[in-house]
Amino acid sequence: MYFNNNTLVFLDGNYVKADQAVCSVYAQSLHYGYAAFEGIRSYSTPAGTRIFKAKEHYERLHYSCRSVGLPLAYSVEELTDFTYQLLEQNNLTEAYIRPLVYAGEPNMGIKAPATSNVFIAAWEWGKYLGNQCLRLMVSPYERPNPRAVPIEAKIAGHYANSIIASSDAKNKGYDEALLLDMNGFVAEGPGSNFFYEKNGELHTAPAGSILKGITRNTVIELAQASGIKVHERFFTPEELNEAEGAFLTGTAAEVVGVSSIGEHVFRNPFENTIGAVLAAKYSALVTGRATSPVLTH
Ligand code: PMP
C-alpha cells in the first residue's frame, strides 16, 4: 500500500528504491521514539500539483527538531523542493507525504546525536478516519504533560500515547478517542484537533496542550472569514453535553464530522452544521477551487 517495486523515497539527499531505504535496529530513534515527523498532503489543482502549506509544515518540522535537539541539515525551501521532486519521480498528484527526521546511527545512549537522517515518502492515501461521521469517546488517557515533553512538536514518541488512546476507543466500540489535557480540559484527538459548535459559534482548545494543527489554523481562518466566531479556550468534557455539533481537523483527516461523544448524540445531522460548511470550504481551498483571494497555497 505504501510502496511497490518502483517506488522511490528520499533518503539523505538521494532518491532510492523504497525497499533499499533501510535503518539499523540499533538506531537511537527506534529505541527511544526520538524522531520528528510531518504529515503533509498534495492536491491536484488547476495550477498543477500543489503541496498544501508546505512552508508551514516544514517550518513546524524545523521547530519540532529544535525542540528536542535533533539536527536538521536542510532548509524549508530545500525540503519543499525535494518533496516536489519526489512527487514527480513517483508520478503522484494527490498524495500523503511523510517526512521523518531520525537518529539512525547505532546508539543506545540518551544524548542528542550530532547528525540525523532525513527520509521522505509519499503515497496515495484516502481520507484518514474515512468520510463517515465519527462516534467519539472521551479517553481515560490524557495527552502528554506539556511540562514533560514539547507537546507542540510532532515527535514520534508522543504517538505511543495516540496509539494507546485510539486503540482503546476502538476496542470499546467507538471510532476515535478524544483526549483531555492534564488539567481535565478537552485537548484533541490522537491525530487531529477538535472543534465543537454551540449557538452558531465554534470552540476549540487553545495552544499549550495540543499540537497546533495547520488544518486547525486554516479552519479558524475560513470560519472567521465567513463571520463565524471561534473561541480558543479551555472547556471541560461536561460542556460537550451542550454542543450542537463537532468535528475533527487534521492534514490526513481533513475536516471530518462527529455524530456523538460518549452518550451524547447530536440531534442535528453533520450536513446541517458549521463543520460541514467548513469541510466544503477546506476542500475548495486545498484543491485550488476557492474564490477567497486571502487564502492561497
Ligand atoms: N493533533 C495531533 C496529535 C496530530 O497528530 C495532528 C496531525 N498532525 C493534528 C493535531 C492536526 O495537525 P495538522 O492539521 O497540522 O495535520
Side-chain angles (χ1 to χ4, degrees), residues 88-148:
E88 205 173 305
Q89 298 210 27
N90 287 295
N91 230 344
L92 286 165
T93 50
E94 304 255 331
Y96 181 80
I97 300 151
R98 168 52 55 85
L100 175 73
V101 183
Y102 64 100
E105 290 294 313
N107 179 5
M108 293 301 105
I110 51 168
K111 183 175 176 290
T115 60
S116 69
N117 302 85
V118 177
F119 167 77
I120 312 174
W123 61 89
E124 273 175 25
W125 215 24
K127 215 172 150 172
Y128 169 75
L129 299 173
N131 282 311
Q132 298 295 319
C133 280
L134 305 173
R135 290 164 306 122
L136 301 187
M137 183 196 94
V138 175
S139 179
Y141 296 98
E142 291 172 359
R143 287 297 286 155
N145 184 332
R147 292 203 285 267

Side-chain angles (χ1 to χ4, degrees), residues 205-216:
S209 58
I210 56 167
L211 184 82
K212 264 195 297 172
I214 290 163
T215 320
R216 173 184 176 278

Side-chain angles (χ1 to χ4, degrees), residues 56 61 82 84 106 135 181 259:
E56 286 83 344
L61 185 62
F82 296 150
Y84 271 111
R135 290 164 306 122
D181 69 13
S259 56

Side-chain angles (χ1 to χ4, degrees), residues 37-39 57 60 96 143 154 159 162 188-193 210-217 249-252 282:
F37 70 101
E38 266 306 315
H57 281 283
R60 186 170 67 184
Y96 181 80
R143 287 297 286 155
K154 206 163 162 60
Y159 285 79
S162 295
E188 60 185 331
S192 55
N193 292 114
I210 56 167
L211 184 82
K212 264 195 297 172
I214 290 163
T215 320
R216 173 184 176 278
N217 285 350
T249 64
T251 299
Y282 183 78

